[in-house]
Amino acid sequence: MSFWVSGQQLAVWRKQARQVAIAQEISPDEVDWLLQIWTDVDKLSLRLGSFESRSQIPIPQSWSVLNERWQTRLTENCPIQYLAGLSPWRDFVLKVSPAVLIPRPETELIIDWLSQEKAINPQLSQGNWVDLGTGSGAIALGLALCFPEARIFAVDTSLDALAIAQENAQSYGLGDRIEFLHGSWWTPLAHCQGQIQGMISNPPYIPSSMIAGLQPEVTQHEPHLALDGGEDGLVAIRHLVETAPDYLVAGGLWLVEIMAGQAPWVAELLENQGQYQGIQLLKDLAGIERFVVAYRI
Ligand SMILES: C[S@@+](CC[C@H](N)C(=O)[O-])C[C@H]1O[C@@H](n2cnc3c(N)ncnc32)[C@H](O)[C@@H]1O
């Protein structure tokens, strides 16, 4: 069955939805973002209003179903990426569901940094790379494009997340470049000790006591498995510091995304572990120390 709305109907709905959004301190851009996902109307046409004269605009579901989803945004604080089932990340539009964290723009910087780093350190382009805690698969897909010669492993303890990551890889023709493995951190990679060129992880790093105070969109809808980093937020990171040296090749790279304020603690953990060198703190675009990098001695 095909569904459509008239340009006039859409214009009236858009105007009202934007007004309600503003009244609830939600960005009205969210309304336009959803309309661009649900219809073939582009940003320019929305801005100029040129879509209003169209008699039939195709939509994926009945208008009442789509409007209900928007109401969920307003009444239940559901992030629009979950309503749309999609999230843009770098050049990808990734499938997402409440089983996976919505991939964040700051995480994109990991791939930018690696692209620069491989130019000065060509050794990085070969061998095995791993994305531990892959979620939607965003980082693993980025790694596959950044290192076309490398073999990529993507691990998650959530089977639902792995299914989504796999779908995302397949939809970009990267299904046979990435091996998806179920288990906790390095466990499914026991056969790869001493063979990993680079380990990337955006692990859960928020202290348990802070989770309830996050934005409702996050606390009420994103998977706590992706957020909760234990009492001090560092449980997973500490584990990755301790275990990675057994898996990395000499000169292999360790890169983890962290929360604001954690950088000195993570640098100290790496220093004390004794098998890392070249520890660096990298900032995000807001100037926050967001990533820690080190190399296996
Ligand atoms: C912060 S999310 C990151 C998701 C994705 N890499 C990204 O950057 O958008 C953390 C991910 O780690 C996974 N995770 C949590 N505990 C894990 C464990 N013990 N072993 C493997 N993955 C785990 C979660 O399921 C979640 O997908």
Side-chain angles (χ1 to χ4, degrees), residues 36-143:
Q36 288 170 77
I37 296 283
W38 285 339
T39 71
D40 60 2
V41 178
D42 63 19
K43 208 175 192 168
L44 185 64
S45 177
L46 282 171
R47 212 174 59 222
L48 299 177
S50 50
F51 66 97
E52 291 181 33
S53 57
R54 291 174 60 187
S55 58
Q56 289 195 345
I57 297 174
I59 47 176
Q61 301 275 332
S62 73
W63 190 251
S64 62
V65 167
L66 297 180
N67 183 46
E68 244 171 65
R69 285 202 205 149
W70 171 246
Q71 295 308 317
T72 315
R73 169 73 186 103
L74 301 174
T75 55
E76 294 174 24
N77 302 304
C78 185
I80 49 169
Q81 292 91 335
Y82 290 149
L83 295 180
L86 296 170
S87 179
W89 192 83
R90 292 185 68 80
D91 292 338
F92 306 111
V93 178
L94 299 174
K95 179 176 173 176
V96 292
S97 81
V100 300
L101 187 93
I102 296 165
R104 304 295 202 265
E106 56 270 26
T107 307
E108 297 183 0
L109 298 175
I110 294 175
I111 307 299
D112 291 342
W113 185 83
L114 288 172
S115 304
Q116 289 165 15
E117 191 64 8
K118 74 173 182 183
I120 19 180
N121 189 352
Q123 178 197 341
L124 295 179
S125 300
Q126 309 296 325
N128 302 313
W129 279 79
V130 58
D131 170 18
L132 294 183
T134 195
S136 63
I139 295 173
L141 269 69
L143 288 174

Side-chain angles (χ1 to χ4, degrees), residues 101 103 107 131 133-136 139 155-158 183-185 202-204 225-226:
L101 187 93
T107 307
D131 170 18
T134 195
S136 63
I139 295 173
V155 176
D156 209 291
T157 197
S158 157
S184 183
W185 307 128
N202 176 16
L225 182 63

Side-chain angles (χ1 to χ4, degrees), residues 18-29:
R18 285 172 64 91
Q19 281 169 353
V20 173
I22 292 166
Q24 295 202 17
E25 295 183 0
I26 293 171
S27 167
D29 291 346

Side-chain angles (χ1 to χ4, degrees), residues 259-286:
M259 179 177 143
Q262 289 176 336
W265 301 108
V266 179
E268 192 180 316
L269 289 171
L270 287 161
E271 198 71 60
N272 292 343
Q273 206 283 338
Q275 294 181 84
Y276 297 96
Q277 62 186 0
I279 300 165
Q280 293 175 59
L281 309 178
L282 309 177
K283 291 183 177 165
D284 64 17
L285 297 178

Side-chain angles (χ1 to χ4, degrees), residues 180-195:
F180 293 92
L181 300 168
H182 179 232
S184 183
W185 307 128
W186 294 103
T187 317
L189 287 162
H191 58 292
C192 290
Q193 294 213 1
Q195 297 172 40

